[in-house]
């Protein structure tokens, strides 16, 4: 069990809520009302709402601008064009000043009423609190099926499993946000990278409502792009495929040749197996390049305990 977070000590804790918005003019005023009602109940917290306009072409930015005139705890950030949901979330995380930061969709599919439960778990010491979908109303069978299969496949291939049936509706401790915004990797896949950090993570379950208004912005093209990003950033396992295929073919050929006492079988599989293994060798080097380019740290420290001794600078050591 992680260590309990102490907040209060003469100051308020800060909570930031990041809301990525792409053509959400129809829902934003409702979202703001429902979110504010929840945040007002968090008496120990100073809350800020950060609306990120991800290059909308409807009146989203006008709505955000008028909302900022109503409340001082509200901020709008407009991206120059549509960069995609993950980039909009990252932009919001960079703007956030909270001790804890919640990322939530603008369309009220993620109920803001869950935030106090997430905050309570954060105070208990959890660094990441994911919202887990028990059910998903108003979504197509195709979307539910592909999501179900995809996340299981991704978890089988990834270095670190992602909490199943979650999206980006999450509470993140400041430490997690600091790691995320300082990573050099491009094409960030938030939910995968958050799990990779390995800091204490728990979840709350909820029933996902249909969108309040408007259409899903995740069309097939965007869904495929997100799926590609998740696989490519979270796993380099497919690069091992030629090695596995090549080795299997060679061993298989040798077995068949031994059983049939026909050495030509070995020759046939040998030609293919050797090619696959040569590709596999390139794959192994690419894995190294992939890791280097992604530039994640080799490890993440969770906690330190005991005396912290400062190592003297080289010149001082020479003088000693
Ligand atoms: N979104 C965004 N940029 C995009 C697509 C979506 O900021 O390019 C936002 C969108 O406004 C919403 C959230 O990401 O707040 C989730 O999108 P959506 O509800 O369309 O996806 P779904 O819930 O259908 O998967
Ligand atoms: Mg939605």
């Amino acid at each position: 069990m992680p260590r309990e977070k102490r907040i209060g000590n003469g100051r308020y804790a800060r909570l930031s809520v990041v809301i990525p918005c792409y053509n959400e003019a129809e829902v934003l005023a409702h979202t703001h009302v429902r979110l504010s009602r929840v945040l007002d109940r968090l008496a120990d917290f100073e809350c800020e709402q950060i609306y990120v306009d991800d290059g909308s072409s409807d009146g989203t930015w006008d709505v955000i601008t008028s909302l900022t005139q109503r409340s001082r705890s509200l901020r709008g950030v407009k991206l120059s064009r549509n960069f995609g949901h993950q980039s909009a979330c990252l932009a919001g995380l960079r703007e956030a000043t909270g001790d804890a930061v919640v990322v939530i969709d603008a369309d009220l599919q993620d109920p803001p009423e869950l935030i106090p439960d997430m905050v309570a778990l954060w105070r208990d010491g959890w660094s990441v609190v994911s919202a887990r979908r028990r059910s998903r109303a108003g979504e197509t069978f195709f979307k539910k099926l592909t999501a179900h299969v995809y996340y299981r496949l991704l978890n089988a291939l990834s270095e670190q499993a992602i909490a199943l049936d979650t999206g980006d509706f999450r509470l993140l401790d400041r430490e997690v946000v600091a790691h995320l915004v300082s990573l050099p990797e491009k094409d960030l896949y938030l939910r995968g990278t958050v799990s990779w950090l390995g800091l204490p993570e728990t979840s709350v379950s909820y029933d996902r409502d249909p969108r309040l208004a408007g259409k899903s912005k995740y069309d097939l093209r965007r869904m495929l792009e997100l799926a590609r990003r998740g696989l490519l950033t979270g796993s380099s396992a497919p690069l091992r495929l030629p090695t596995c295929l090549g080795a299997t073919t060679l061993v298989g050929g040798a077995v068949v040749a031994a059983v049939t006492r026909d050495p030509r079988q070995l020759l046939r599989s040998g030609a293919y197996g050797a090619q696959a293994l040569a590709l596999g060798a390139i794959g192994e080097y690419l894995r190294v390049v992939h890791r280097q380019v992604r530039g994640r740290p080799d490890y993440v420290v969770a906690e330190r305990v005991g005396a912290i001794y400062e190592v003297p600078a080289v010149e001082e050591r020479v003088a000693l």
Side-chain angles (χ1 to χ4, degrees):
M1 187 68 190
R3 207 180 304 147
E4 190 183 342
K5 289 212 169 52
R6 282 175 214 286
I7 58 164
N9 306 333
R11 69 174 187 109
Y12 287 107
R14 286 184 69 80
L15 177 72
S16 309
V17 182
V18 169
I19 310 114
C21 314
Y22 179 51
N23 293 341
E24 303 285 10
E26 279 178 90
V27 291
L28 275 189
H30 300 279
T31 310
H32 173 248
V33 168
R34 234 173 97 182
L35 187 58
S36 303
R37 215 177 282 150
V38 171
L39 298 182
D40 286 347
R41 291 208 317 262
L42 291 171
D44 301 348
F45 286 84
E46 223 167 39
C47 298
E48 61 173 358
Q49 299 175 35
I50 302 170
Y51 290 83
V52 182
D53 180 358
D54 183 18
S56 301
S57 51
D58 66 352
T60 294
W61 185 243
D62 295 337
V63 179
I64 294 175
T65 310
S66 71
L67 289 176
T68 56
Q69 281 151 12
R70 274 198 240 159
S71 159
R72 287 200 5 205
S73 61
L74 203 143
R75 196 141 33 108
V77 182
K78 183 178 163 70
L79 306 189
S80 60
R81 63 167 174 84
N82 178 241
F83 284 91
H85 178 214
Q86 298 291 295
S87 302
C89 291
L90 183 62
L93 292 179
R94 287 225 165 93
E95 296 287 325
T97 60
D99 302 303
V101 184
V102 172
V103 177
I104 188 169
D105 283 359
D107 58 2
L108 291 173
Q109 280 200 282
D110 302 333
E113 292 72 21
L114 224 57
I115 294 177
D117 293 346
M118 296 166 115
V119 167
L121 285 162
W122 172 70
R123 290 178 88 156
D124 284 345
W126 297 99
S127 301
V128 178
V129 185
S130 306
R132 193 170 177 159
R133 302 153 177 181
R134 228 179 347 230
S135 66
R136 302 172 73 156
E139 287 187 358
T140 61
F141 175 72
F142 176 74
K143 183 150 187 169
K144 286 188 233 179
L145 179 74
T146 46
H148 185 88
V149 173
Y150 173 72
Y151 285 111
R152 278 144 188 92
L153 173 75
L154 186 61
N155 275 354
L157 293 175
S158 291
E159 294 157 33
Q160 187 64 38
I162 300 173
L164 284 173
D165 306 317
T166 61
D168 285 315
F169 184 21
R170 269 191 181 76
L171 178 148
L172 307 169
D173 181 64
R174 164 59 38 199
E175 190 190 3
V176 175
V177 176
H179 279 298
L180 289 175
V181 301
S182 65
L183 287 176
E185 77 186 75
K186 301 292 164 208
D187 275 2
L188 194 68
Y189 183 65
L190 273 174
R191 56 198 88 164
T193 313
V194 165
S195 302
W196 176 85
L197 286 171
L199 293 166
E201 182 170 348
T202 188
S203 65
V204 286
S205 293
Y206 75 108
D207 297 302
R208 191 159 161 89
D209 294 326
R211 225 179 204 283
L212 187 76
K215 280 202 307 230
S216 169
K217 310 303 175 313
Y218 264 95
D219 52 18
L220 188 63
R221 186 179 63 82
R222 279 176 216 268
M223 266 168 69
L224 285 174
E225 164 53 26
L226 189 69
R228 186 196 67 86
R229 190 183 273 220
L231 260 177
L232 288 190
T233 59
S235 169
S236 51
L239 289 170
R240 288 245 151 105
L241 204 61
T243 310
C244 299
L245 285 176
T248 313
T249 312
L250 277 182
V251 173
V255 171
V256 174
V259 172
T260 59
R261 293 168 191 273
D262 179 2
R264 280 172 305 176
Q265 297 287 347
L266 188 57
L267 278 179
R268 264 182 226 133
S269 63
Y272 170 75
Q275 271 187 40
L277 283 180
L279 256 184
I282 298 176
E284 289 302 317
Y285 280 94
L286 258 183
R287 266 168 73 96
V288 177
V289 173
H290 178 257
R291 280 162 182 268
Q292 291 282 356
V293 170
R294 208 171 47 171
R296 288 184 187 173
D298 288 322
Y299 55 84
V300 173
V301 174
E303 261 183 64
R304 286 190 174 87
V305 70
I308 295 172
Y309 166 69
E310 220 169 284
V311 181
V314 175
E315 313 80 67
E316 287 170 40
R317 272 186 274 160
V318 173
L320 285 173

